[in-house]
Amino acid sequence: MIRYFLILVLFLDSLQLFSQGMINGTGRVLASPDGNYRISFYQKRAQDGTRQMYYTVSFKGKEVLLESEMGVLIQNHLFESALGIPNDAFEHWGDNLELIGVDTLSVNKTWQPVYGERSQVKDQYHQLILKFRKGNEEAGTMSDAYDKRRYYFMNVELRAYNEGVAFRYYFPEAVNGLFLHIKGEQTKFTLPEGTLAYYEKWAQGPISLLPLKYWKDEAERPLTLKLPNGLTVALAEANMIDYARGKFALCDKKANTLQLSMYASADVITPYNTPWRVVMAGERPVDLINNNDIILNLNPENKIKDVSWIKPGKAIRSGLSQAEAKACVDFAAQHGLQYVHLDAGWYGAEMSVQSDATKVRAEKDIDFPSLTRYAADKGVGIFVYVNQRALYRQLDSILPLYKQWGIKGIKFGFVQIGSQQWSTWLHNAVKKCADYGLLVDIHDEYRPTGFSRTYPNLLTQEGVRGNEEMPDATHNATLPFTRFLAGAADYTICYYNNRIKTTHAHQLALAAVYYSPLQFLYWYDNPKMCNGEPEIEFFDKVKTVWDDTKALDGAIGEFVTIARRDGADWFVGSITNNEARTITIDFSFLSPGKKYEANIYSDDDYVATKTKVRVDKKIITSKTKFSTALKASGGLAIWLTPVKTN
């Protein structure tokens, strides 16, 4: 019945679009299962007879993307000549694509991630595969030994979820042996006039709200947008594994239009699919947060058979000595942390190619086998930092060695990103780490596109302007609606360091607001700074992975409230920007009829501790609406646990 309804909708809309000048028979409309999203596809013929693919997207009857180009830019003359195949004469590779077939599919299932923001992920979508042929079998020659005919096949794959829409280009196996040299994409995103973008030049850069004009550089992905019709929209990338990273640049030929801008060309062998281009929309900004599973759903399922060793957790960074590391292990065991991390410098100058990551620096007294045994006896694991210069040269040597030492994970430092070469190398390195039972945290400019579903030993990654740069509270209140839509981010939460630009309750709340299966809580701190402040209980109790997550309320760059469940307990974090405000938390997400003891951690200048955080207890039910004032750059953290009944 679902399949019949889908085909009927496609047929009726194709007739409607034909009157707007499309090529007869090419128009299709794909609707999401709930009918809220509609992505339309069609081809138009230019005056010179060439063909161009277009698409539009709407959400609940409102325009999201106006008529926008689709297509891939391929320059294959060199390969064609080398194989004795006649050169393609068209200016754009897609100028003569002919639609030769259409397939449809409906999927409705759930899957259990190894870990995540939810213990169950719904994967429901309608799919449309448009099959195109370029050229014909008469161009070139055919013999028993070799096919020298110039023809190609390409599919445009469209998916419509209740959480968003996505599309990509797929190339079936070329029987004539041709490779593909992809120079770029024609993919564009034309938005309504008056759209504003949360522009970020690089992955660890500041974020500015700008119109779609006068950008000097590209914008990072995901890119969150405010549309004049009231919708909040995000453009994202999923399943970017063996390809060049895409960003967004202003199109110089069409107003209010973004061009998918690839870092560099990509050389591929068919069969091959490009990354998914993802479009999400919401009537409220928090709708984007609640629907971010679409990124994981667009990636292949877990490839690691035995996942028992993959253990998310909280971490503290240690100084580079055996005594400091043991002190951190003791602190971790006392405060419910799972990992101690030794950062850059333990094996040598991280930027030097000569530094040997198989040996501890001569002036350091670190004994890793002894340290890992000490930590294991207390239920704590050890992470180590390795710069990409050493990873590139020594990966096959260090992985078995670190396994022998008892190391649990590696933080990749200063990775090269962007090109197809380094994208492929990086993801292959994560796979190799999985072979040795090693967890991974990728730092610096890498941004996720869902690979942690396929290889969940990739716990987290940076790609965020976090506490290494000490951003202000307004930036922090922007991140849940922008960077965190792509996946986990290693923000490196601090608590005692005097350089933080927020209150301490704000930093506490970040542990619930920000998702990272490996969550650093004391990045620039050390155990001696802790004086038994009672609010540290929240850090002790909070988890890093969840059974459920609900973004309750928020406005981009202003404030956000997120609730996350572990078993029967809930952890709630609220943060505000640089301005004070009063917020109201609606606890209707709690189980009806149950009472919860709420431990509330809030800023209070009158508390007699250096952190100035007050701890209160209150009984909360699903009928409670709790209003409270947040200080400028402040926050609120709440731990709720069911009241035991006799």
Side-chain angles (χ1 to χ4, degrees):
M1 183 65 180
I2 293 175
R3 183 179 175 87
Y4 173 75
F5 174 74
L6 177 63
I7 294 172
L8 180 63
V9 170
L10 294 172
F11 176 69
L12 290 176
D13 277 69
S14 68
L15 292 179
Q16 180 181 352
L17 285 169
F18 179 64
S19 63
Q20 301 172 9
M22 71 171 192
I23 297 175
N24 189 22
T26 65
R28 298 292 189 278
V29 175
L30 183 67
S32 57
D34 61 9
N36 289 333
Y37 282 98
R38 294 165 76 83
I39 178 168
S40 305
F41 174 93
Y42 49 95
Q43 284 180 293
K44 286 185 175 180
R45 195 182 301 278
Q47 291 183 350
D48 61 2
T50 58
R51 301 174 177 219
Q52 174 60 50
M53 298 186 294
Y54 295 96
Y55 74 108
T56 66
V57 177
S58 65
F59 177 69
K60 291 189 175 181
K62 293 183 177 180
E63 292 178 325
V64 175
L65 295 177
L66 311 181
E67 182 175 88
S68 304
E69 289 185 18
M70 271 186 177
V72 183
L73 297 171
I74 297 174
Q75 174 54 269
N76 250 31
H77 288 173
L78 182 61
F79 293 147
E80 290 168 348
S81 298
L83 295 176
I85 297 173
N87 281 177
D88 177 19
F90 286 87
E91 180 180 359
H92 299 109
W93 189 85
D95 283 349
N96 63 333
L97 286 173
E98 178 184 358
L99 183 62
I100 59 173
V102 178
D103 285 344
T104 61
L105 175 68
S106 292
V107 171
N108 187 3
K109 61 183 179 180
T110 59
W111 56 278
Q112 293 183 327
V114 176
Y115 55 79
E117 295 183 84
R118 300 160 191 88
S119 59
Q120 296 281 336
V121 177
K122 189 172 183 62
D123 187 12
Q124 183 182 13
Y125 61 88
H126 291 159
Q127 179 168 286
L128 180 65
I129 299 178
L130 303 166
K131 300 180 178 181
F132 291 89
R133 180 179 62 200
K134 174 183 174 63
N136 57 68
E137 298 181 5
E138 285 72 40
T141 61
M142 174 69 179
S143 67
D144 292 338
Y146 195 64
D147 186 347
K148 295 186 178 182
R149 294 172 295 176
R150 189 191 69 235
Y151 65 102
Y152 300 80
F153 295 96
M154 184 186 81
N155 298 345
V156 175
E157 299 183 356
L158 309 175
R159 284 190 187 177
Y161 295 79
N162 293 341
E163 297 78 22
V165 299
F167 61 90
R168 69 179 179 184
Y169 310 102
Y170 173 78
F171 300 92
E173 183 177 2
V175 296
N176 54 14
L178 281 169
F179 306 115
L180 297 178
H181 178 62
I182 301 176
K183 297 194 304 177
E185 293 186 15
Q186 288 175 273
T187 308
K188 294 181 174 62
F189 309 85
T190 299
L191 293 135
E193 185 175 359
T195 294
L196 298 174
Y198 286 89
Y199 173 88
E200 187 179 15
K201 182 178 176 181
W202 72 99
Q204 299 178 79
I207 300 171
S208 303
L209 186 60
L210 300 176
L212 303 185
K213 297 178 181 179
Y214 314 125
W215 296 0
K216 295 181 179 179
D217 296 286
E218 302 166 327
E220 260 293 354
R221 77 276 188 258
L223 177 62
T224 302
L225 305 145
K226 290 176 64 175
L227 272 57
N229 58 17
L231 295 178
T232 303
V233 170
L235 307 178
E237 184 175 48
N239 194 216
M240 200 290 289
I241 308 303
D242 176 23
Y243 200 64
R245 178 212 62 208
K247 287 190 179 183
F248 302 101
L250 293 178
C251 178
D252 58 3
K253 297 180 180 179
K254 189 177 182 181
N256 305 308
T257 298
L258 300 173
Q259 167 76 54
L260 191 284
S261 178
M262 286 172 56
Y263 180 91
S265 61
D267 291 304
V268 307
I269 298 174
T270 59
Y272 184 87
N273 55 259
T274 67
W276 291 99
R277 308 302 168 199
V278 186
V279 183
M280 302 168 63
E283 295 177 304
R284 302 187 307 156
V286 292
D287 294 341
L288 301 182
I289 302 172
N290 288 322
N291 291 326
N292 65 355
D293 284 334
I294 188 174
I295 302 297
L296 295 176
N297 278 330
L298 289 165
N299 280 265
E301 62 186 18
N302 171 37
K303 301 295 186 185
I304 302 175
K305 292 181 180 180
D306 176 15
V307 297
S308 60
W309 56 274
I310 299 177
K311 299 184 184 300
K314 295 170 285 187
I316 181 172
R317 184 175 70 156
S318 170
L320 300 182
S321 72
Q322 195 82 346
E324 290 172 293
K326 284 187 172 182
C328 282
V329 168
D330 294 341
F331 181 84
Q334 179 183 356
H335 289 278
L337 310 183
Q338 287 69 45
Y339 295 103
V340 170
H341 172 65
L342 281 74
D343 209 58
W346 68 265
Y347 65 85
E350 62 173 315
M351 295 299 188
S352 173
V353 175
Q354 303 305 316
S355 294
D356 185 353
T358 67
K359 298 178 181 178
V360 176
R361 201 169 188 165
E363 60 268 29
K364 303 295 180 184
D365 67 342
I366 303 167
D367 180 342
F368 276 115
S370 174
L371 177 61
T372 58
R373 287 194 297 269
Y374 181 84
D377 287 343
K378 300 198 173 193
V380 176
I382 301 296
F383 257 76
V384 294
Y385 173 96
V386 183
N387 187 282
Q388 193 192 24
R389 283 164 173 75
L391 291 170
Y392 182 68
R393 293 187 305 109
Q394 297 183 287
L395 188 64
D396 291 332
S397 299
I398 67 177
L399 295 184
L401 178 64
Y402 291 0
K403 180 75 171 179
Q404 179 184 338
W405 283 356
I407 300 295
K408 297 300 182 184
I410 304 174
K411 187 177 89 171
F412 291 15
F414 287 97
V415 296
Q416 296 285 343
I417 49 90
S419 71
Q420 181 186 21
Q421 173 196 352
W422 289 118
S423 295
T424 305
W425 178 90
L426 186 60
H427 294 109
N428 284 340
V430 173
K431 294 178 186 179
K432 285 188 175 183
C433 286
D435 292 338
Y436 289 90
L438 289 166
L439 304 169
V440 177
D441 174 7
I442 302 174
H443 254 234
D444 305 300
E445 284 290 289
Y446 174 79
R447 280 203 164 173
T449 63
F451 190 65
S452 59
R453 178 186 179 184
T454 312
Y455 281 87
N457 63 311
L458 174 56
L459 289 181
T460 193
Q461 50 272 306
E462 191 178 15
V464 66
R465 190 176 185 85
N467 268 343
E468 287 188 343
E469 287 87 9
M470 292 296 178
D472 65 13
T474 296
H475 179 85
N476 290 350
T478 305
L479 290 176
F481 306 95
T482 54
R483 162 64 181 85
F484 276 92
L485 297 179
D490 187 6
Y491 178 91
T492 55
I493 297 169
C494 297
Y495 198 66
Y496 295 105
N497 191 277
N498 59 14
R499 292 186 295 134
I500 59 173
K501 296 178 182 177
T502 70
T503 69
H504 293 280
H506 183 108
Q507 293 290 318
L508 275 180
L510 292 181
V513 171
Y514 292 166
Y515 170 66
S516 184
L518 180 69
Q519 185 78 277
F520 280 91
L521 297 180
Y522 300 95
W523 182 249
Y524 285 121
D525 306 328
N526 64 65
K528 294 180 181 179
M529 294 179 176
C530 182
N531 294 310
E533 290 82 4
E535 74 273 11
I536 291 302
E537 173 187 54
F538 186 79
F539 276 168
D540 294 353
K541 298 295 184 180
V542 73
K543 309 302 179 186
T544 67
V545 295
W546 306 98
D547 293 316
D548 197 9
T549 293
K550 296 181 183 296
L552 303 178
D553 196 11
I556 305 174
E558 297 180 21
F559 76 101
V560 70
T561 298
I562 296 179
R564 302 186 190 269
R565 180 174 64 83
D566 171 63
D569 289 6
W570 284 88
F571 295 83
V572 181
S574 295
I575 59 171
T576 184
N577 60 5
N578 296 344
E579 301 177 6
R581 75 183 64 248
T582 297
I583 63 168
T584 299
I585 302 176
D586 184 343
F587 286 93
S588 59
F589 60 87
L590 296 174
S591 298
K594 287 188 177 181
K595 293 182 178 180
Y596 292 79
E597 181 181 73
N599 300 273
I600 303 171
Y601 314 89
S602 59
D603 296 304
D604 187 342
D605 290 337
Y606 296 99
V607 173
T609 66
K610 64 181 180 180
T611 54
K612 304 297 182 183
V613 174
R614 185 177 78 244
V615 182
D616 296 311
K617 293 185 183 293
K618 183 180 178 69
I619 298 299
I620 297 287
T621 71
S622 62
K623 296 181 179 180
T624 302
K625 289 182 172 58
F626 177 69
S627 294
T628 187
L630 299 183
K631 290 182 59 175
S633 303
L636 176 77
I638 305 175
W639 167 39
L640 299 112
T641 190
V643 174
K644 295 181 179 179
T645 57
N646 296 327

